[in-house]
Amino acid sequence: MNTSIVGRHIELTDAIKDYVNSSVEIFGKYNLDIISVNSIVSKEERNSKPLFVFEFTLNVAHLDTIVVKQKDKDLYSAVDIAVDRVSKVLRRHHDKISGHKATKLSEVEASYVEDAISNELDKLENEILPVRLTSYKPIDIEEALNDLKATDAAFKVFYDKDDNMRVLYRTSTEGKFGLY
């Protein structure tokens, strides 16, 4: 970051230069690519009273030039107010950049869980075959039992006459069936 301090109609003392330089160092906390900071200190006379004008010109990468001009009776208070105004602009820009790109840790963990689930489903995809139901009409339990005996299927899902979903299945004992 290039910094320059210019004095117009005022002699810049070491104390003023040190104060402005320490104020400029505050801008580093926003982690932005600040190319240059130009500081202009000038003194005007208004109604035979001195008035200090302090101006910051910041060139920031990927952002328009920031210009802040502050007038005050006291030079140090003009610098402080200008620093606060520039900090507000830089903070807003930093929040905008970091807010749009940041992902929460919980979102990262959730994506790992989702990836693991999708991998498990991909493994099971070859083992599970979709089967279309042949009939949606209600049937008797005896009719479902005869259908199950006629095939080599392990179970049969059907609706009974009372419109309840039922499952008829073969048990491990030969010739015995279970009804759920």
Side-chain angles (χ1 to χ4, degrees), residues 161-179:
K161 295 291 183 179
D162 296 329
D163 207 25
N164 295 322
M165 181 177 279
R166 307 296 294 261
V167 178
L168 187 65
Y169 58 93
R170 295 182 192 271
T171 61
S172 57
T173 308
E174 188 66 32
K176 299 288 183 180
F177 297 92
L179 181 63

Side-chain angles (χ1 to χ4, degrees), residues 52-148:
F52 294 99
V53 179
F54 186 78
E55 181 178 338
F56 266 132
T57 306
L58 276 84
N59 293 319
V60 181
H62 311 293
L63 187 67
D64 292 336
T65 302
I66 301 169
V67 179
V68 173
K69 196 172 193 178
Q70 186 62 45
K71 296 180 182 182
D72 203 333
K73 296 175 191 173
D74 181 34
L75 176 63
Y76 293 101
S77 64
V79 171
D80 289 339
I81 294 170
V83 166
D84 289 342
R85 289 175 57 195
V86 170
S87 294
K88 183 177 181 180
V89 172
L90 294 176
R91 178 180 41 85
R92 285 184 176 171
H93 184 65
H94 176 263
D95 290 347
K96 181 179 177 184
I97 289 172
S98 63
H100 289 292
K101 293 183 180 178
T103 56
K104 296 178 182 174
L105 183 60
S106 61
E107 292 174 1
V108 172
E109 291 175 358
S111 68
Y112 287 134
V113 170
E114 289 173 359
D115 290 344
I117 291 172
S118 66
N119 289 338
E120 288 295 319
L121 289 176
D122 288 341
K123 291 177 187 175
L124 295 175
E125 188 173 301
N126 295 334
E127 297 177 20
I128 300 172
L129 299 174
V131 178
R132 282 187 72 80
L133 294 176
T134 55
S135 169
Y136 294 108
K137 64 178 177 132
I139 58 174
D140 289 327
I141 295 174
E142 295 86 24
E143 188 176 342
L145 181 61
N146 292 335
D147 288 346
L148 186 60

